[in-house]
DNA sequence: AGCTAAAGTGAACTTGCGTTCAGGTTCAGC
DNA sequence: GCTGAACCTGAACGCAAGTTCACTTTAGCT
């Protein structure tokens, strides 16, 4: 799974010689990350480090060896999440650019997906807000915005999306979307918001919502 | 300002005889409430009781005399806020019902107002969520929903608002509206969401947003 | 097998916050 | 002005969570 030569210092680790990294250390680091992901998702970012450690089958000291402060742990987890989302969006863009899908429909699906993600992890945004503002998040978020912008631009040019819509708009909406509510409320929310993103709200309304005869 | 006969026990205070309530106690209670409102609004609901006390020019013990637990303080403040909002909405409804205003326009103004409130108090929702669910909030919130429902119903009957729109929809949107963002983002948010609340998004779009010739 | 540096362990320390309470203070009525 | 109950005060308590560190264990090498 993980070979001998792996990163250890997080984002910008570089040292003259990559001395050995013990296998148990790598294993524990992964266990901690996996556990923390789940714990934070279900119990919020206020889970104690002790509980995370216990759930990971590791002592607190070990946890602190890998992440000198709780902030570091949470930062890494959020960074993961952002990267995953960016990748997803980029894949969607690629699919649309290759003609394999329609921009505005994919955008709707994407928003729905993001809402689901947020709902499965209601505490993430809270956690992110509690973090220092100038971390490595900016560039990661930028990647997300860029991809979103691309997708929106295609839809705009196709005439299906609102002429003045931007990727930032979509981010604005999804970031403020419901996080602590059930699937029904999320769907309703999208049904309410969606028309505002279209060039003409009577067209292209694919799913529920207002009365629409031809779709 | 406050005469001899005033409430002291909060919501449902009733005793055989309303014995004396010292003037300094009343004064302090008000000072505490005023201070807490400000402190919570600016520093979030995590301000320590000590800081609130200090800012109010009072010892912690006094704070705890009036509010046996921090929860009680926050509860009262949120209750105040909800009541004020409910009153505002009811006034709007009355104005509309008397023919003094148009429902959908007032709804838009109302949503904007609620967003402003939330932005001036970004921590309130967080605080409310951290509270026990079955408090006296339910009936207060109900008052708000009822008023909203009435306003929306009028707009629906007038044909300006989306036929399937409910007061709960408006609550869903405003509750998830931007809280930590600037006025520009709030306006943009509303511009994006607003079309989805109208019967036909091309009509009655009063302000910014898409191209609209006759308004 | 033996060595050693890296990694792991968990009790203890620190800090911050909610809350209490014994004692001093003050308002209100006589 | 005197009395007593209500009120105020703030040091102290308890607790929970983040963090440290002296010591033990272990992986990787020879």
């Amino acid at each position: 799974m993980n070979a001998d030569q792996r990163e250890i210092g997080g984002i910008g680790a570089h040292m003259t010689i990559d001395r050995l990294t013990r296998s148990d250390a790598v294993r524990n680091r992964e266990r901690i990350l996996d556990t923390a992901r789940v714990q934070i998702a279900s119990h919020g970012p206020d889970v104690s480090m002790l509980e995370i450690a216990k759930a990971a089958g590791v002592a607190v000291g070990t946890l602190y060896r890998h992440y000198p402060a709780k902030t570091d742990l949470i930062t890494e987890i959020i960074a993961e999440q952002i990267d995953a989302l960016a990748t997803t969006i980029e894949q969607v863009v690629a699919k649309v650019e290759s003609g394999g899908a329609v921009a505005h429909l994919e955008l709707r699906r994407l928003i729905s997906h993001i809402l689901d993600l947020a709902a499965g992890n209601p505490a993430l945004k809270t956690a992110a807000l509690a973090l220092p503002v100038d971390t490595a998040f900016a560039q990661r978020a930028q990647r997300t915005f860029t991809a979103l912008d691309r997708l929106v631009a295609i839809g705009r040019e196709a005439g299906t999306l609102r002429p003045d819509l931007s990727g930032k708009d979509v981010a604005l909406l999804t970031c403020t979307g419901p996080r602590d509510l059930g699937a029904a409320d999320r769907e309703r929310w999208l049904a309410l918001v969606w028309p505002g993103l279209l060039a003409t709200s009577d067209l292209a309304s694919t799913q529920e919502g207002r009365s629409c005869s031809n779709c």
Side-chain angles (χ1 to χ4, degrees), chain A:
Chain A
M1 193 67 78
N2 37 55
D4 212 12
Q5 190 78 348
R6 42 327 215 206
E7 284 181 35
I8 56 165
I11 295 145
H14 49 77
M15 39 191 81
T16 34
I17 305 179
D18 241 3
R19 288 285 272 217
L20 83 170
T21 308
R22 274 168 47 171
S23 59
D24 56 343
V26 178
R27 202 186 325 124
N28 278 335
R29 193 186 178 89
E30 277 174 9
R31 248 219 279 270
I32 289 172
L33 220 51
D34 288 342
T35 307
R37 238 190 314 266
V38 174
Q39 294 283 102
I40 290 178
S42 53
H43 299 38
D46 285 340
V47 263
S48 69
M49 291 293 261
L50 226 128
E51 279 196 66
I52 295 177
K54 217 180 294 176
V58 151
V60 240
T62 304
L63 214 168
Y64 276 92
R65 165 171 287 273
H66 290 282
Y67 300 95
K70 190 179 183 180
T71 317
D72 299 322
L73 216 197
I74 296 184
T75 297
E76 178 140 347
I77 288 181
I78 294 181
E80 272 184 358
Q81 230 91 350
I82 297 180
D83 284 342
L85 179 58
T87 301
T88 300
I89 302 179
E90 284 167 358
Q91 287 171 346
V92 169
V93 168
K95 194 173 162 194
V96 168
E97 279 183 330
S98 73
V102 186
H104 74 282
L105 294 181
E106 289 305 309
L107 178 63
R108 195 185 204 280
R109 191 199 309 280
L110 197 57
I111 294 178
S112 186
H113 174 240
I114 295 176
L115 291 183
D116 290 346
L117 280 183
N121 224 336
L124 254 197
K125 196 198 166 193
T126 311
L129 287 177
L131 252 40
V133 259
D134 58 306
T135 1
F137 288 147
Q139 47 180 323
R140 287 162 195 273
Q142 190 51 54
R143 200 182 137 212
T144 312
F145 290 153
T146 303
L148 260 185
D149 262 328
R150 186 82 197 93
L151 182 61
V152 168
I154 298 176
R156 265 195 335 247
E157 285 157 19
T160 49
L161 291 182
R162 179 169 174 155
D164 66 339
L165 193 70
S166 73
K168 207 186 158 203
D169 288 333
V170 177
L172 174 62
L173 287 175
T174 50
C175 282
T176 63
R179 292 195 300 284
D180 326 300
L181 277 49
D185 282 326
R186 295 203 300 275
E187 276 200 36
R188 180 61 179 164
W189 183 89
L190 185 49
L192 289 171
V193 165
W194 183 239
L197 306 188
L198 296 176
T200 307
S201 23
D202 297 328
L203 291 176
S205 172
T206 338
Q207 297 172 32
E208 81 285 61
R210 30 265 300 261
S211 51
C212 167
S213 46
N214 55 337
C215 38

